[in-house]
Amino acid sequence: MAKFIIKGGAELAGEISVKGAKNAVLPIMCATILAKGEFILNNVPNLSDVSTMVKLLEYLGLKVEKLNNDTYKIINNGLTSVEAPYELVSEMRASFTITGPLIGKEKRAKVAMPGGCALGARAVDQHLRAFEKMGVQVNTEHGFVNLDGNNLTGAEVDVEVTKLKIPSVGATENVMMAAVLASGQTIINNAAKEPEIVDLGNFLIKMGAKIEGLGSDKIIIIGVKELQACEYEIMPDRIEAGTYIIMSLITGGKVKIKNVNLSDLPGFIAKLEEMGVKFTQEENLLSVRGNINELKNTKIETAVHPGFPTDLQPQMMVLLSLIAGASEVNETIFSNRFMLVPELDRMGAEIVVDERVANIKGEIKFSGAKVTATDIRAGVSLVLAALIADNTTEINNIHFIERGYEDLVSRLKLLGANIERVD
Ligand code: UD1
């Protein structure tokens, strides 16, 4: 099993570029099912999740060619299957987002139930409830969802996760992709507003879809008869950007970050500014200033966009552990997001979890230890802590980190980090 060995304390300086957004490219790749022809996708990140999506598209009969490091050609000459197998859906839950385009284009789909994942039970009930409202027959048996969309029509649907009172990102995307070719009008109430949804919507519009209200909580889609293949550039990854912002802060501010859209991270940036962090952006290069000894401790509650993103909560726990005074993190979106805490505690953090709230003692010093990544963001948070820890940290299960961060080892090395990937 591969692992990262990181010797902490190296001075980091230089530039690091943010790559294309994982959570935008995955649904956009799914959407290439919706039209025959040749698609060109630019700014595609080199991630294992993208490779999993390539496998899924190829399984369904599409051809995928990598033209260069971040450009893919996807050729759709018609599908040969409408089944998303267990191996691919269980490897990556985002594979379930293939369901909407399959129903939209082929009027049927057989997709493995995603099952559990490192972040806790992640149900798809809202996806299925919305499809049923659109006239789709849904049957679940032997671990698969069978969907018959022969009577698919536009409808008014709601994608709010009732128990959490938040919209589902994945369900919003799935419904959008089912609706673009459905007859009539679809209204998505309580739609998710995340920038990746806007990126998917813009891609669909470029294909010829009629969509209004992107980025608001009411998306209106008028079904069209046919869509066309197109060329599209994926938005920069705002979670990767936020991760590097925290990296720059905890390592003294000499790392500058390229390709950041600060407007995609309002909740995160506002929180850091409230703590005393200052940002300056010159010609696509972001500088982050804030002395760890002077930043204010704080309380954070994760929320849907434009609030504080759950995908930056674990990295933030590393920062808050360094700042004087106690801080508090309330995780409202994913039940298992604190699996990172025992690992960070092994490295010297003092975090106590009470159900959904983590109480963080500040001003600790991280010390190198053997630790294990439990999901993508938990994994990269261990990397952050390791970069400033005394001594050496060994991070296991790094396949999680490689799902979301392209070529992290060589890019951190270029900044001066003492990091190796060993098999
Ligand atoms: C997406 C992102 C993920 C991010 C999350 C929240 C991708 C590939 N992943 O995940 O990185 O952390 O949004 O911003 O884009 N839920 C239900 N029933 C449903 C759907 C969701 O109970 O039918 C629950 C989930 O278990 C979770 C919460 O609602 O607790 C939010 O899920 P959702 O917004 O759907 O997130 P994803 O689309 O899975």
Side-chain angles (χ1 to χ4, degrees):
M1 287 285 254
K3 47 181 112 161
F4 287 168
I5 308 287
I6 302 173
K7 194 161 182 309
E11 191 173 314
L12 300 199
E15 290 175 19
I16 188 161
S17 288
V18 173
K19 305 285 178 176
K22 170 178 90 70
N23 288 352
V25 75
L26 298 174
I28 285 174
M29 289 173 83
C30 289
T32 61
I33 284 181
L34 289 164
K36 283 193 178 173
E38 283 187 15
F39 292 86
I40 302 286
L41 298 184
N42 298 307
N43 203 27
V44 177
N46 231 325
L47 303 171
S48 60
D49 271 11
V50 169
S51 311
T52 306
M53 187 55 79
V54 168
K55 277 188 218 155
L56 178 57
L57 294 182
E58 286 175 341
Y59 186 93
L60 297 172
L62 272 59
K63 291 197 176 69
V64 185
E65 284 173 32
K66 200 169 171 180
L67 300 184
N68 62 41
N69 187 48
D70 62 0
T71 307
Y72 281 70
K73 184 197 269 189
I74 300 178
I75 305 166
N76 180 348
N77 290 327
L79 268 56
T80 51
S81 167
V82 292
E83 182 179 324
Y86 173 74
E87 290 67 27
L88 296 177
V89 182
S90 62
E91 199 166 314
M92 179 181 73
R93 189 189 135 93
S95 303
F96 197 77
T97 320
I98 206 76
T99 317
L102 280 174
I103 304 170
K105 187 72 171 62
E106 304 296 320
K107 306 290 176 253
R108 62 203 170 94
K110 181 179 179 188
V111 181
M113 289 288 280
C117 82
L119 291 178
R122 289 171 83 177
V124 288
D125 50 321
Q126 306 310 317
H127 304 232
L128 302 181
R129 193 185 61 166
F131 287 147
E132 280 178 333
K133 273 212 123 182
M134 296 173 76
V136 177
Q137 271 184 23
V138 177
N139 282 304
T140 310
E141 55 177 11
H142 310 304
F144 278 86
V145 193
N146 285 296
L147 302 109
D148 175 344
N150 276 314
N151 295 322
L152 177 75
T153 52
E156 187 158 350
V157 304
D158 191 315
V159 290
E160 183 177 84
V161 178
T162 352
K163 60 180 191 285
L164 300 174
K165 300 222 168 352
I166 56 161
S168 159
V169 171
T172 304
E173 293 166 347
N174 248 335
V175 170
M176 280 166 68
M177 292 191 276
V180 282
L181 287 175
S183 63
Q185 172 177 278
T186 297
I187 298 177
I188 310 178
N189 290 316
N190 280 317
K193 296 186 269 197
E194 270 62 13
E196 293 78 12
I197 290 182
V198 178
D199 211 35
L200 168 66
N202 286 335
F203 175 70
L204 293 169
I205 289 170
K206 204 159 181 207
M207 290 175 70
K210 289 197 178 147
I211 307 176
E212 276 171 30
L214 287 172
S216 81
D217 58 7
K218 184 172 180 172
I219 298 177
I220 301 172
I221 298 167
I222 315 271
V224 295
K225 287 231 148 49
E226 214 178 27
L227 297 167
Q228 296 84 40
C230 67
E231 178 166 355
Y232 194 77
E233 175 155 338
I234 309 297
M235 67 178 278
D237 195 312
R238 65 197 173 102
I239 304 302
E240 190 189 5
T243 305
Y244 299 155
I245 286 173
I246 293 182
M247 178 172 78
S248 182
L249 267 176
I250 63 173
T251 58
K254 290 194 183 128
V255 173
K256 296 186 178 182
I257 310 150
K258 236 189 202 164
N259 302 334
V260 185
N261 272 346
L262 285 182
S263 58
D264 287 339
L265 282 168
F268 174 72
I269 297 298
K271 181 51 77 176
L272 288 180
E273 284 179 338
E274 189 190 302
M275 290 166 67
V277 179
K278 300 225 166 9
F279 297 94
T280 43
Q281 212 162 9
E282 260 173 67
E283 293 190 9
N284 206 16
L285 208 54
L286 180 77
S287 305
V288 185
R289 277 177 296 120
N291 185 337
I292 292 292
N293 300 321
E294 290 166 10
L295 296 183
K296 286 194 255 169
N297 57 332
T298 192
K299 274 189 182 180
I300 288 169
E301 182 167 304
T302 59
V304 297
H305 193 75
F308 193 99
T310 173
D311 285 352
L312 283 169
Q313 179 264 95
Q315 300 88 316
M316 198 68 182
M317 285 207 282
V318 174
L319 174 64
L320 295 177
S321 292
L322 302 172
I323 291 171
S327 291
E328 194 180 294
V329 168
N330 185 350
E331 173 55 58
T332 65
I333 316 255
F334 287 117
S335 54
N336 275 17
R337 198 122 230 190
F338 290 142
M339 274 161 60
L340 162 71
V341 168
E343 302 302 309
L344 275 185
D345 283 356
R346 287 177 66 74
M347 297 184 69
E350 291 187 39
I351 305 174
V352 178
V353 174
D354 183 5
E355 292 190 358
R356 293 269 177 140
V357 178
N359 293 291
I360 303 170
K361 181 173 179 287
E363 251 180 326
I364 64 99
K365 273 199 81 57
F366 284 110
S367 68
K370 250 189 187 182
V371 287
T372 300
T374 49
D375 66 65
I376 305 176
R377 311 301 168 187
V380 84
S381 303
L382 294 172
V383 173
L384 296 180
L387 289 172
I388 49 167
D390 65 21
N391 233 312
T392 302
T393 300
E394 177 183 314
I395 306 178
N396 294 285
N397 273 359
I398 57 160
H399 63 92
F400 279 121
I401 303 170
E402 291 171 346
R403 285 185 54 186
Y405 293 86
E406 173 176 332
D407 212 4
L408 195 59
V409 170
S410 36
R411 295 203 292 146
L412 291 187
K413 271 187 174 171
L414 282 176
L415 296 175
N418 201 329
I419 176 169
E420 297 296 336
R421 183 189 196 280
V422 292
D423 281 313

